[in-house]
Amino acid sequence: MGVALMGWLAGKTVRLVGESAAIAAALKAQGAALVAEGDCDVLIHVAAPQPARPVHELSHAEWRAALDAGLDQRFLQARDFAAARRSAGKGGAVVYVGAPEQALGSDQAAAAGALINLTKTLGVEWARDGIRVNSVLTFDQGETLGDLVAYLASDYAAYVTGAVMGVGLDDG
Amino acid sequence: MPVPDNHIVAMPPPFEEPPYPADVFAGQTVLVSGGGTGMGLAMARAFAQGGAQVAVMGRSLEKAQEGAGKIATLGVRVHAMSCDVRLPDQVAAAFDEAEAVLGPVTLLANNAGANFPVLAEDISVNAWNAVTRIAIDGTFLCSTEFARRLIARGQGGVVVNNSAQYIWTGFPGDAHSAAAKTAQATMTKKMAREWAPHGIRVNAIAAGFFPHETSTAGRREGRTEVLQNMIPAGRTGSIHEFGWLSAMTCTPFFAALTGQVILQDGGESLRRSLMMPDYVPPREREEGPWGWR
């Protein structure tokens, strides 16, 4: 079944950082308006999987680049998003999307592990700002990923925060 | 304490606006264990909102029938049955009956459970067996009965299990349920792997506090109102949003979703602080949410 037009995100503005055709399609199909910058209701941050290499062959600069993309940028952009939401007096939702924790290199294991506990932490720290934070860690690039992320971003998931999940069986 | 006015509480859409079309489960039958009351009834109603025919199973036929009446008002065919999910013969007979009346069961919601906070030293063998076997053996027996039938027919299907938000932390003062609910979540992941080749998906919801008429945890002066500010989200869960997430995992929207345990607790299980109130063992608590003795 293709994505039904249920309007989960009708009237919401969403900033999608990173590339995901499935997520972009699902967001639009559910009524979201994608915005490139400025205040928005939802921040979705997608980090592309990096090639897995033996950790002892990584230079510090390569290691740092992986952690910057997989962790630092994710935190900093969410921090700015949450600050803008608080200024606007509105709630919001953050969804992090990336590869499974143990499926690639040690750089990914470190970044994803940190992201998992960051998700749980920010989900509670910002709960009373009405800002929810969740993560989906998977290689899935199909419609289920798009629909799951759109659902988590929507008010239908109003009681889901600090949750980390995968899609298929690639996360264990 | 009420939730302060300057806090923002995220709210779900109303029950009348489910997240999926009214025919998303058309032509399918769901079997819901413990579907006559509480969280099972919420699951059953959510499936009915998607057009599924509902087989409601309960230890008490009367409660199952009462629940079935509420589900039928949503315009779907419903059948109530009595079954003790700890007994393989009764489980097989219930599936026979559900399939004879409503047709092949392609969706299963394992919700049957018993839970009552009690000190570990006060858990009798009977109480331990009741709580653990309804959840652990019941989920095993219903899921395997379901899967064997689907595999024999070459048909896919979906299972959703009602687990709990305390499966990762333990739950001092509720040892039997802590053990039972984690077993449900871990078998969810393994069954998902075993049955993926057969097109059978298995997921679980690690549910927080969704007050309903039969919940024991909300029994307190002032009812559940006083509990709202205790939860990071600023409220207890609305039971229909639990039903929806459970049913959503079974829809084609999430066709690739399997082996997942999804936390839905408003952040309740993730509360953590550097400074916390002094630790009082359950045995010495004058007032848990429940009162220990």
Side-chain angles (χ1 to χ4, degrees), chain B residues 39-54:
Chain B
M39 298 178 85
L41 177 59
M43 288 169 135
R45 282 163 56 86
F47 280 105
Q49 284 187 304
Q53 305 179 113
V54 184

Side-chain angles (χ1 to χ4, degrees), chain B residues 23-33 43-44 46-48 50-57 95 98-99 102-110 142-143 146-147 150 153 155-161 199-201 246-252:
Chain B
D23 63 351
V24 75
F25 300 123
Q28 297 198 69
T29 296
V30 62
L31 189 151
V32 184
S33 70
M43 288 169 135
F47 280 105
Q53 305 179 113
V54 184
V56 182
M57 216 159 73
F95 271 82
E99 299 201 321
L102 297 175
V105 175
T106 54
L107 305 166
L108 171 67
N110 285 306
C142 291
S143 301
F146 174 76
L150 289 174
R153 292 196 295 261
Q155 194 174 17
V158 197
V159 180
V160 60
N161 295 322
I200 300 170
R201 302 190 290 112
S246 302
M248 267 305 296
T249 67
C250 301
T251 65

Side-chain angles (χ1 to χ4, degrees), chain A residues 83-99:
Chain A
R85 290 275 88 190
R86 276 191 293 275
S87 297
K90 291 175 180 170
V94 176
V95 185
Y96 291 120
V97 181

